[in-house]
Amino acid sequence: MRRTTQRKSPTAASQDIAEAVSIISGLEDCKFAIKGQGHAPAAGFANVSAGVTIDMTSLKTVSVSADRTVASVGADASWLDLYVYLDALGLSVAGGRNGAVGDGGLTLGGGISYFSPRVGWACDNVVNFEIVLASGKLANANTTSLPDLYRALKGGWNNFGFVTRFDLTAFQQGDIGDILADNIVQDISYRNEVFRAFADIAGAAECDPYASLVIGLIFNATSKAWVLSTTAIYTNPVLNPPVFDELLAIPTIAKTQHITNLSTLATEPTHPAATSFAPLLSPSTTSSNWAFLTGTYGVSAPHLSAIFDSLNATVSTFNIPNGILWSVAFEPLPTIFTQYGDLRGENSLGTSPRDGNATDSASDALVEQTAQRMMQDAAAIARGMSLLHRFQYINYADPSQNPIGSYGWENVQRLRAASRRYDPRGVFQRQVPGV
């Protein structure tokens, strides 16, 4: 299939950002941060102390090409902004599952979508990046213009410039009511049955490309209670698809099933059980005070059980004033997910079919140390079972981790070469501390 690049004129906001970058890049001691929707929790990712924060609020424009194959979106739009626009047209794109997340950070970090088994990482579906380089020059990176930068941006985060617009492959998704959503809450006593169902789905030789699954283990340190919360999505409006039969046969505490559209789904809680736990926590705990960590492992129900036992041994005796909610998510990384990068101008993530049918788990100083120890224990268990994978998903990574290093030596060398070529003075390496 031939892919075409849409040529669009830069907006006034893009030109303003280009001017700002050209000024700041000449001030070597001036630190700056790039703020989109601000979803990433780590300090410095969306703001900076004693420096300049460039707020992308004005970059929210959404449009669709005349042939309805490309959706163009400004770098500060939320995925909900885009989904509301596209749902009305019967179109969709591979984007974030939480509508409040910004398109910029998610896409530059790879991006997991409900549609990823069908079309790959979100970054694999970018046909063009409009970007402000360290010199202040506005450029377009795609398969024919700056192809090495195009590849580097797909997983390299904001290490190479200031992306102001994404042109994304759009596809027909049908009329209103085109996605099946199952939200399931189960007692923790059924964890081994749930883990077996998850492993059977994630490790199936024939992956169902419409199936998307997240298993959540949620622990409330105040009540000392675990619960299992599962989001099972089917991107085809089919009730009770066979792929989820084993999972749905396990007894539930609560279950909802409905056919909906993406904009509605993107505003619903990711883990329904977390919502039910919220009254047990103080108001300060239910505010957005988060830490993320990530790891990637081979699929194995015994491994998931061993991870739970290790987690439980740690969190059952741990608490802080005002309480804490631990959430550990397991989600498949099927082989078909990883194959699209090479077909679409490549990406920098370093994933391949070898990493397929793997599972990815994501979660002030004491909490951080405990979370890191929990992930180290999970990795040690995986290593002992020959299930540890190198890849770390940057959008879920903690500052203590090295996700870009996990892409592999060859990809890291390509990223360094792109940085030297398009940012020879290292502006985005030295002056943007949150990357």
Side-chain angles (χ1 to χ4, degrees):
M1 180 180 70
R2 183 178 179 181
R3 298 169 64 84
T4 59
T5 299
Q6 303 292 312
R7 297 295 181 185
K8 299 174 70 71
S9 299
T11 64
S14 297
Q15 293 169 335
D16 289 343
I17 288 172
E19 182 178 0
V21 170
S22 67
I23 294 170
I24 294 172
S25 64
L27 306 172
E28 294 187 0
D29 294 330
C30 180
K31 304 295 183 183
F32 68 101
I34 301 168
K35 182 185 181 300
Q37 291 292 316
H39 183 72
F45 277 24
N47 52 42
V48 64
S49 178
V52 175
T53 296
I54 302 177
D55 192 324
M56 298 191 294
T57 301
S58 57
L59 296 172
K60 290 183 179 291
T61 303
V62 178
S63 63
V64 172
S65 62
D67 63 1
R68 296 164 57 92
T69 63
V70 175
S72 297
V73 58
D76 190 46
S78 70
W79 288 108
L80 184 59
D81 293 331
L82 184 55
Y83 295 154
V84 168
Y85 186 95
L86 294 178
D87 273 347
L89 301 175
L91 299 174
S92 198
V93 296
R97 296 164 294 185
N98 182 332
V101 172
D103 63 322
L106 181 132
T107 305
L108 293 173
I112 299 174
S113 166
Y114 290 130
F115 300 108
S116 286
R118 288 164 55 181
V119 298
W121 298 96
C123 68
D124 292 331
N125 293 271
V126 179
V127 296
N128 181 71
F129 298 91
E130 180 188 82
I131 182 171
V132 177
L133 301 177
S135 64
K137 177 184 176 182
L138 261 170
N140 285 280
N142 50 63
T143 56
T144 58
S145 173
L146 314 183
D148 54 343
L149 180 59
Y150 175 61
R151 183 188 188 280
L153 289 170
K154 294 192 287 184
W157 246 18
N158 60 341
N159 281 293
F160 307 95
F162 196 130
V163 175
T164 53
R165 193 189 74 239
F166 298 85
D167 299 332
L168 308 171
T169 298
F171 49 84
Q172 195 74 28
Q173 180 57 22
D175 299 324
I176 299 300
D178 55 4
I179 292 176
L180 174 70
D182 282 295
N183 292 313
I184 309 159
V185 180
Q186 290 158 315
D187 190 90
I188 195 65
S189 63
Y190 291 104
R191 62 186 180 275
N192 290 328
E193 290 88 344
V194 172
F195 293 158
R196 280 196 296 271
F198 175 91
D200 288 343
I201 295 169
E206 296 293 330
C207 177
D208 188 325
Y210 294 100
S212 178
L213 182 67
V214 179
I215 302 287
L217 290 168
I218 301 172
F219 180 78
N220 184 292
T222 302
S223 63
K224 304 296 183 184
W226 284 97
V227 71
L228 280 161
S229 177
T230 299
T231 301
I233 305 298
Y234 203 72
T235 59
N236 196 16
V238 176
L239 289 173
N240 301 314
V243 66
F244 297 137
D245 282 351
E246 183 181 358
L247 178 65
L248 295 175
I250 301 168
T252 64
I253 297 172
K255 175 180 175 292
T256 62
Q257 183 184 76
H258 59 296
I259 292 177
T260 186
N261 60 21
L262 191 54
S263 59
T264 302
L265 181 60
T267 62
E268 296 177 356
T270 304
H271 296 300
T275 303
S276 65
F277 269 18
L280 302 176
L281 301 172
S282 72
S284 61
T285 305
T286 54
S287 63
S288 296
N289 188 6
W290 296 80
F292 291 174
L293 285 150
T294 185
T296 306
Y297 318 111
V299 178
S300 163
H303 178 231
L304 298 181
S305 295
I307 287 178
F308 172 81
D309 291 341
S310 177
L311 295 174
N312 190 46
T314 299
V315 302
S316 61
T317 59
F318 178 91
N319 204 355
I320 57 174
N322 298 319
I324 184 171
L325 193 70
W326 296 96
S327 177
V328 180
F330 298 113
E331 50 191 295
L333 182 65
T335 297
I336 58 171
F337 192 135
T338 63
Q339 68 183 4
Y340 296 98
D342 289 344
L343 302 175
R344 299 175 178 176
E346 300 185 297
N347 62 46
S348 300
L349 298 169
T351 56
S352 72
R354 294 190 306 275
D355 298 301
N357 294 354
T359 177
D360 185 80
S361 66
S363 27
D364 294 294
L366 182 58
V367 172
E368 180 81 6
Q369 292 169 2
T370 304
Q372 290 175 9
R373 186 172 71 251
M374 289 161 63
M375 290 302 299
Q376 290 166 359
D377 291 345
I381 294 168
R383 186 180 296 108
M385 301 174 73
S386 299
L387 294 170
L388 183 64
H389 287 236
R390 179 184 65 194
F391 177 66
Q392 295 177 344
Y393 179 43
I394 195 169
N395 288 344
Y396 291 165
D398 181 76
S400 66
Q401 298 183 290
N402 180 22
I404 288 181
S406 78
Y407 296 174
W409 184 88
E410 183 177 351
N411 285 303
V412 171
Q413 295 308 307
R414 288 185 178 185
L415 291 172
R416 287 173 174 166
S419 178
R420 288 192 296 268
R421 181 174 182 182
Y422 297 104
D423 185 9
R425 293 188 292 118
V427 170
F428 285 87
Q429 301 295 314
R430 295 182 296 99
Q431 293 179 237
V432 183
V435 291

